[in-house]
Amino acid sequence: MTENSSKGRVSIAAVLGLLLILVLAAVNVRLAVTPAKDFLAGRAGFSQMTEDITAAYVSDSFKPKDTCLTLNGLFGRLAGRRVYNDVTLMNNGMLTHGSASRRDMTETAGKIISLASFARDRGTPFLLVIPPYKVPLEGDLLPAGRKNYRNANYDEILQRLADAGYATLDLRPSLSATQALVEKYMFRTDHHWNNDAAFLGFGAVMDTLEGLLGTELDKAYTNPDLWERHEEKDFWLGSHGKRVGPLFAGTDSVLWYTPKFETGMSYAYNRKEKQFGFLKGDYTSIYVFRDKFNKGDWYNDNCNQIYMDKLFPLVIHRNLNAPNKQKIMMIGDSYCRGMQTFLATEFAEVHMIDTRYVSGFTVAQYVEWTRPDALIILTSNFHDEFIIDFGAETETAWLDAHPGRTALIREEELTLASGGGKKNSLELPVALQPGQTYHLSFTRAETAGEPADCVTAVLWEKTKKKTVWTAMFDIEYCNETGGYACAFDVPQDNPEGEYAILLCPGVWKKTPDTSVVFSGVTLEQEV
Amino acid sequence: MVFSSLVFLLLFLPGTLIVNFLLPRKLRNYWLLLASLFFYAWGEPSFVLIMIASVCFNWLLALAIDRSARQRARRLLLILDIALNLGILLVFKYLNFLTATLHDLFPGTASLFPATSIALPIGISFFTFQALSYVVDVYRRSAKAERNIGFVGLYISLFPQLIAGPIVRYTTIMDQIRDRKVTLSSFSDGFLRFMTGFNKKVLLANVLAEVADAAFKANGGSVCMAWLGALCYSLQIYFDFGGYSDMAIGLGRMLGFRFLENFDHPYISRTVTEFWRRWHISLGTWFRDYVYFPLGGSRVSSSLKLVRNLLVVWLLTGIWHGANWTFILWGLLYGVVIIIEKLTGIPKKLPSWPAVCRVLYRVLTLLVVLLGWVLFRADNLAKAGTYLRTMFGLGGVPLSSDSFIFNVREYAAFWIAGILCSVPLLQRLRDRLRKAGGRKERILTEAAWLLQLALFVISITMLVMNAHNPFIYFNF
């Protein structure tokens, strides 16, 4: 190409282009400052500086990244792209994954069956729930030549579980069999089901659990008339939409349900060492996080988090007012956000584990410790990161080698006085051994002083002053139902560590000025 | 650092330009030299020392040659310079390949000549050839040796053409190093050229690469997909390399340098000989001036010598492109075809052929080029063979596949745009407008550039989306 001969003219396009570069350069030059300073101060080498600057320019700090993503999505759409930035635009205008290959689900199914068998040996019926998927069972909405094998992978899992004699619930026929159902029950720009689908799924799970538990359940709260449905249109961009912008395939509504009936429940959650908490109150105040989100904040908000906000390794829901007194354990992912809260209105306890984040114990151990009345897996994700080794064989071997327990503490009463500040706690007089399992229980907790909704048991490492794990108990619930119980595995990766169990009022490190009397305290070690 | 990156576009380029134009003229060369070394060191902090060493010994030897009156001494110094430059290439580019080939052929030599794993400095083939051409031109007395090492350093390392050409001759820019002028309109022209190249690289080359990569990953997969992949790779490499050259020429213009053109719509070539006058012109002319002509060129006493000369040139061309048998075979393929054309006189006779025959020969030319690109792209000879067999339906491959059905439609806008942009349609339209002149010409021309600007904005958004887009010719 020969160059443009402008006959001495300056092109407007050139001026505008140069201005654009200068403005973007000025706005983003700050990204280079810190790496350059580190290099000049000798804190980083030249290569490190160049890597850091390059990374900064492609990070979320680049301005205006959101505008660039939106414009780029528009371009992709105008250029006729159907698969863009690992997202597929289906024939009905909805977005789904870029691709899904056909996998051999033998190993995955094997892990699930191993856990199901472990649970069954403990009298806990097992249920696998498959949620709806964006690609319908009937019809082909994908671009010509594209294949998505997720439904086939799900079919294989279901078949293997059924062949092994375990209960399954496939929600796809009722919620995503056809294009119409997909458009009704799935988000347009996100991979999740919407809360209309989650609510219907809740009803289906309750029906199935009734059969599994062999007892009549009060399913009143599965009636949508008892709930208020909220919807705000064009509110957010889902996970797929965030990759291509709002102009590629549109946006999504946010919708959620709140009960019209009276509620009072609590949940305790663990996230990481310093992220754990306890919330108690009515359903809407503790579960619904509408105020966290702003309409049109396309690239930051994830309105699928409207229930529960975050995902946690372990959440324990407790509901003294629940019509059904069973304890349900659920292993799931983000598909369970709404579902776990719906189930918490029906059941006394719902224990929710997300295996992607859990550490310190295995799922099988947790089943052994809590002995739930039913165990459910509900996930869309059958990849290795979720379907891990649940630890059934390891736990079985451990229990065979440690068939009994020895009591280390049996106290009628232990008292913690108030006035100890934010870390006011009672240390149980036992030095715990790394690699061992301990069971803590007490029959009652009475507080006096500042109000406390919960008490907490903390597994504490004294030399590093580190919180290893916490178990938070709803005082009202546990006093009423007759007991507090939890189990801890002491880590073995720190053999020199000094571990202890602390008991405190409220949430650990935020203890109110309250004295507590713990009754019937027992600490046992598995031997 | 690559041109089509946010760091270059929004940090290095504006910073370099601003300081360049704020400095007094006499300091600008030193600033550009510093910026160029920094540009190179960004990706290769240790290899910048090799470039500096190359600058030093080439400068020294050129001076020595220039000062030496005795022809024998001049020749010896030239030979020394050639040996040092080619020695660098041999060690950093070809040693791994040579030792691996030796071990394959003679397994017993592994202990004598251990396998090497030397990293390849980016752009080494370009700046080495550039340095060689400088010293040879001094030897030939086409140019005077430059006494200022900074100016020689600037010539060899100037960032617009450092990493992927064009291979600039010293005689082209020696006056511009000392005295160059940048006007608003020349700066504007340079920016427009840069923008055009940027768009070619990001919006065409990078996108078409997705199809090519899918095809070559599957070794073709089906007949149709193999052909689509070959087509898309042909377009990808053109817009990648041609786009880079546009950017280099545009950047040079913004700094006051005028580089020669490196591509001239190669896919409209009527013969393979013509193709190589339109493709990577700076490399073709380099081999012509520094290898072919010294061997005698076509003015030799026998056809055998002509054949020898052409085979040497094309063997070296293939080797220059990379340390792999695929490149060597690719070069030799062109050598053979060009030899046939030369011996039969086809390029001269072609205009007198019937139109149908001329069209058919043009198609044949494109076919040779396309098949050559398959060799060029393949990881090794075995994969090249498999791919080529797939293209021709051998080995029981299906005619079509899901991959073809998807890719031909998904990327239709891009491969069609690629084909249209590879012919001088717009160029001719613009030339006609220019001849007509007047207000209409100005408005339409500006509108076209504003469209390019809109695409430039989109290209920037593409970079934000995709962080990784190295140039194909980066590793030469």
PDB file of all heavy atoms in Angstrom, chain A residues 447-465:
ATOM      1  N   THR A 447     -26.655 -16.666  78.539  1.00  0.00           N
ATOM      2  CA  THR A 447     -25.854 -15.450  78.505  1.00  0.00           C
ATOM      3  C   THR A 447     -26.446 -14.415  79.452  1.00  0.00           C
ATOM      4  O   THR A 447     -27.643 -14.439  79.750  1.00  0.00           O
ATOM      5  CB  THR A 447     -25.821 -14.870  77.095  1.00  0.00           C
ATOM      6  OG1 THR A 447     -27.167 -14.557  76.693  1.00  0.00           O
ATOM      7  CG2 THR A 447     -25.211 -15.837  76.108  1.00  0.00           C
ATOM      8  N   ALA A 448     -25.594 -13.491  79.897  1.00  0.00           N
ATOM      9  CA  ALA A 448     -26.053 -12.369  80.733  1.00  0.00           C
ATOM     10  C   ALA A 448     -25.197 -11.164  80.394  1.00  0.00           C
ATOM     11  O   ALA A 448     -23.966 -11.236  80.412  1.00  0.00           O
ATOM     12  CB  ALA A 448     -25.918 -12.727  82.196  1.00  0.00           C
ATOM     13  N   GLY A 449     -25.861 -10.064  80.080  1.00  0.00           N
ATOM     14  CA  GLY A 449     -25.097  -8.867  79.701  1.00  0.00           C
ATOM     15  C   GLY A 449     -25.586  -8.371  78.360  1.00  0.00           C
ATOM     16  O   GLY A 449     -26.767  -8.446  78.031  1.00  0.00           O
ATOM     17  N   GLU A 450     -24.683  -7.918  77.501  1.00  0.00           N
ATOM     18  CA  GLU A 450     -25.078  -7.473  76.157  1.00  0.00           C
ATOM     19  C   GLU A 450     -25.699  -8.642  75.400  1.00  0.00           C
ATOM     20  O   GLU A 450     -25.253  -9.788  75.553  1.00  0.00           O
ATOM     21  CB  GLU A 450     -23.834  -7.025  75.390  1.00  0.00           C
ATOM     22  CG  GLU A 450     -23.482  -5.555  75.601  1.00  0.00           C
ATOM     23  CD  GLU A 450     -22.314  -5.140  74.704  1.00  0.00           C
ATOM     24  OE1 GLU A 450     -22.365  -5.464  73.495  1.00  0.00           O
ATOM     25  OE2 GLU A 450     -21.356  -4.549  75.227  1.00  0.00           O
ATOM     26  N   PRO A 451     -26.672  -8.337  74.554  1.00  0.00           N
ATOM     27  CA  PRO A 451     -27.333  -9.448  73.857  1.00  0.00           C
ATOM     28  C   PRO A 451     -26.369 -10.198  72.955  1.00  0.00           C
ATOM     29  O   PRO A 451     -25.481  -9.611  72.344  1.00  0.00           O
ATOM     30  CB  PRO A 451     -28.417  -8.771  73.012  1.00  0.00           C
ATOM     31  CG  PRO A 451     -28.522  -7.390  73.503  1.00  0.00           C
ATOM     32  CD  PRO A 451     -27.246  -7.030  74.188  1.00  0.00           C
ATOM     33  N   ALA A 452     -26.574 -11.508  72.896  1.00  0.00           N
ATOM     34  CA  ALA A 452     -25.793 -12.316  71.975  1.00  0.00           C
ATOM     35  C   ALA A 452     -26.729 -13.333  71.351  1.00  0.00           C
ATOM     36  O   ALA A 452     -27.419 -14.054  72.060  1.00  0.00           O
ATOM     37  CB  ALA A 452     -24.655 -13.033  72.698  1.00  0.00           C
ATOM     38  N   ASP A 453     -26.780 -13.368  70.045  1.00  0.00           N
ATOM     39  CA  ASP A 453     -27.640 -14.327  69.355  1.00  0.00           C
ATOM     40  C   ASP A 453     -26.973 -15.683  69.242  1.00  0.00           C
ATOM     41  O   ASP A 453     -27.638 -16.691  69.041  1.00  0.00           O
ATOM     42  CB  ASP A 453     -27.961 -13.828  67.941  1.00  0.00           C
ATOM     43  CG  ASP A 453     -28.921 -12.669  67.959  1.00  0.00           C
ATOM     44  OD1 ASP A 453     -29.786 -12.638  68.862  1.00  0.00           O
ATOM     45  OD2 ASP A 453     -28.810 -11.801  67.064  1.00  0.00           O
ATOM     46  N   CYS A 454     -25.631 -15.684  69.341  1.00  0.00           N
ATOM     47  CA  CYS A 454     -24.962 -16.961  69.111  1.00  0.00           C
ATOM     48  C   CYS A 454     -23.801 -17.111  70.075  1.00  0.00           C
ATOM     49  O   CYS A 454     -23.365 -16.159  70.718  1.00  0.00           O
ATOM     50  CB  CYS A 454     -24.471 -17.064  67.674  1.00  0.00           C
ATOM     51  SG  CYS A 454     -23.089 -15.967  67.284  1.00  0.00           S
ATOM     52  N   VAL A 455     -23.332 -18.337  70.170  1.00  0.00           N
ATOM     53  CA  VAL A 455     -22.047 -18.618  70.805  1.00  0.00           C
ATOM     54  C   VAL A 455     -21.198 -19.335  69.761  1.00  0.00           C
ATOM     55  O   VAL A 455     -21.724 -19.979  68.851  1.00  0.00           O
ATOM     56  CB  VAL A 455     -22.178 -19.477  72.083  1.00  0.00           C
ATOM     57  CG1 VAL A 455     -22.801 -18.688  73.200  1.00  0.00           C
ATOM     58  CG2 VAL A 455     -22.919 -20.768  71.798  1.00  0.00           C
ATOM     59  N   THR A 456     -19.895 -19.211  69.957  1.00  0.00           N
ATOM     60  CA  THR A 456     -18.989 -19.747  68.945  1.00  0.00           C
ATOM     61  C   THR A 456     -17.937 -20.631  69.583  1.00  0.00           C
ATOM     62  O   THR A 456     -17.402 -20.298  70.655  1.00  0.00           O
ATOM     63  CB  THR A 456     -18.275 -18.610  68.198  1.00  0.00           C
ATOM     64  OG1 THR A 456     -19.257 -17.753  67.624  1.00  0.00           O
ATOM     65  CG2 THR A 456     -17.367 -19.136  67.105  1.00  0.00           C
ATOM     66  N   ALA A 457     -17.659 -21.736  68.935  1.00  0.00           N
ATOM     67  CA  ALA A 457     -16.512 -22.565  69.304  1.00  0.00           C
ATOM     68  C   ALA A 457     -15.429 -22.311  68.262  1.00  0.00           C
ATOM     69  O   ALA A 457     -15.704 -22.318  67.064  1.00  0.00           O
ATOM     70  CB  ALA A 457     -16.909 -24.040  69.328  1.00  0.00           C
ATOM     71  N   VAL A 458     -14.225 -22.060  68.714  1.00  0.00           N
ATOM     72  CA  VAL A 458     -13.129 -21.689  67.820  1.00  0.00           C
ATOM     73  C   VAL A 458     -12.006 -22.698  67.959  1.00  0.00           C
ATOM     74  O   VAL A 458     -11.601 -23.035  69.073  1.00  0.00           O
ATOM     75  CB  VAL A 458     -12.580 -20.291  68.195  1.00  0.00           C
ATOM     76  CG1 VAL A 458     -11.474 -19.890  67.225  1.00  0.00           C
ATOM     77  CG2 VAL A 458     -13.690 -19.260  68.208  1.00  0.00           C
ATOM     78  N   LEU A 459     -11.512 -23.160  66.857  1.00  0.00           N
ATOM     79  CA  LEU A 459     -10.283 -23.938  66.867  1.00  0.00           C
ATOM     80  C   LEU A 459      -9.150 -22.935  66.655  1.00  0.00           C
ATOM     81  O   LEU A 459      -9.067 -22.302  65.610  1.00  0.00           O
ATOM     82  CB  LEU A 459     -10.293 -25.001  65.775  1.00  0.00           C
ATOM     83  CG  LEU A 459      -9.022 -25.862  65.668  1.00  0.00           C
ATOM     84  CD1 LEU A 459      -8.765 -26.618  66.964  1.00  0.00           C
ATOM     85  CD2 LEU A 459      -9.121 -26.846  64.497  1.00  0.00           C
ATOM     86  N   TRP A 460      -8.289 -22.806  67.657  1.00  0.00           N
ATOM     87  CA  TRP A 460      -7.338 -21.704  67.723  1.00  0.00           C
ATOM     88  C   TRP A 460      -5.924 -22.238  67.807  1.00  0.00           C
ATOM     89  O   TRP A 460      -5.652 -23.170  68.571  1.00  0.00           O
ATOM     90  CB  TRP A 460      -7.681 -20.873  68.969  1.00  0.00           C
ATOM     91  CG  TRP A 460      -6.799 -19.713  69.279  1.00  0.00           C
ATOM     92  CD1 TRP A 460      -5.929 -19.618  70.332  1.00  0.00           C
ATOM     93  CD2 TRP A 460      -6.711 -18.470  68.597  1.00  0.00           C
ATOM     94  NE1 TRP A 460      -5.314 -18.407  70.341  1.00  0.00           N
ATOM     95  CE2 TRP A 460      -5.777 -17.665  69.276  1.00  0.00           C
ATOM     96  CE3 TRP A 460      -7.346 -17.933  67.460  1.00  0.00           C
ATOM     97  CZ2 TRP A 460      -5.446 -16.375  68.872  1.00  0.00           C
ATOM     98  CZ3 TRP A 460      -7.023 -16.654  67.064  1.00  0.00           C
ATOM     99  CH2 TRP A 460      -6.071 -15.892  67.765  1.00  0.00           C
ATOM    100  N   GLU A 461      -5.051 -21.621  66.967  1.00  0.00           N
ATOM    101  CA  GLU A 461      -3.645 -22.006  67.024  1.00  0.00           C
ATOM    102  C   GLU A 461      -2.924 -20.923  67.817  1.00  0.00           C
ATOM    103  O   GLU A 461      -2.866 -19.762  67.392  1.00  0.00           O
ATOM    104  CB  GLU A 461      -3.073 -22.138  65.607  1.00  0.00           C
ATOM    105  CG  GLU A 461      -1.853 -23.051  65.518  1.00  0.00           C
ATOM    106  CD  GLU A 461      -0.609 -22.484  66.171  1.00  0.00           C
ATOM    107  OE1 GLU A 461      -0.132 -21.419  65.699  1.00  0.00           O
ATOM    108  OE2 GLU A 461      -0.117 -23.083  67.156  1.00  0.00           O
ATOM    109  N   LYS A 462      -2.368 -21.290  68.971  1.00  0.00           N
ATOM    110  CA  LYS A 462      -1.894 -20.287  69.943  1.00  0.00           C
ATOM    111  C   LYS A 462      -0.584 -19.638  69.542  1.00  0.00           C
ATOM    112  O   LYS A 462      -0.394 -18.440  69.726  1.00  0.00           O
ATOM    113  CB  LYS A 462      -1.766 -20.941  71.317  1.00  0.00           C
ATOM    114  CG  LYS A 462      -3.141 -21.314  71.820  1.00  0.00           C
ATOM    115  CD  LYS A 462      -3.275 -22.009  73.138  1.00  0.00           C
ATOM    116  CE  LYS A 462      -2.178 -22.384  73.980  1.00  0.00           C
ATOM    117  NZ  LYS A 462      -2.582 -22.997  75.244  1.00  0.00           N
ATOM    118  N   THR A 463       0.340 -20.390  68.943  1.00  0.00           N
ATOM    119  CA  THR A 463       1.651 -19.783  68.673  1.00  0.00           C
ATOM    120  C   THR A 463       1.548 -18.752  67.551  1.00  0.00           C
ATOM    121  O   THR A 463       2.164 -17.695  67.609  1.00  0.00           O
ATOM    122  CB  THR A 463       2.691 -20.854  68.296  1.00  0.00           C
ATOM    123  OG1 THR A 463       2.127 -21.705  67.288  1.00  0.00           O
ATOM    124  CG2 THR A 463       3.093 -21.675  69.494  1.00  0.00           C
ATOM    125  N   LYS A 464       0.768 -19.054  66.543  1.00  0.00           N
ATOM    126  CA  LYS A 464       0.626 -18.086  65.446  1.00  0.00           C
ATOM    127  C   LYS A 464      -0.589 -17.186  65.639  1.00  0.00           C
ATOM    128  O   LYS A 464      -0.865 -16.324  64.805  1.00  0.00           O
ATOM    129  CB  LYS A 464       0.470 -18.843  64.112  1.00  0.00           C
ATOM    130  CG  LYS A 464       1.734 -19.568  63.687  1.00  0.00           C
ATOM    131  CD  LYS A 464       1.553 -20.272  62.355  1.00  0.00           C
ATOM    132  CE  LYS A 464       2.818 -21.052  62.027  1.00  0.00           C
ATOM    133  NZ  LYS A 464       2.659 -21.907  60.850  1.00  0.00           N
ATOM    134  N   LYS A 465      -1.330 -17.415  66.707  1.00  0.00           N
ATOM    135  CA  LYS A 465      -2.561 -16.649  66.981  1.00  0.00           C
ATOM    136  C   LYS A 465      -3.481 -16.658  65.758  1.00  0.00           C
ATOM    137  O   LYS A 465      -3.894 -15.625  65.246  1.00  0.00           O
ATOM    138  CB  LYS A 465      -2.233 -15.211  67.375  1.00  0.00           C
ATOM    139  CG  LYS A 465      -1.525 -15.065  68.719  1.00  0.00           C
ATOM    140  CD  LYS A 465      -1.425 -13.587  69.100  1.00  0.00           C
ATOM    141  CE  LYS A 465      -0.916 -13.331  70.502  1.00  0.00           C
ATOM    142  NZ  LYS A 465       0.160 -14.117  71.012  1.00  0.00           N
TER     143      LYS A 465
END
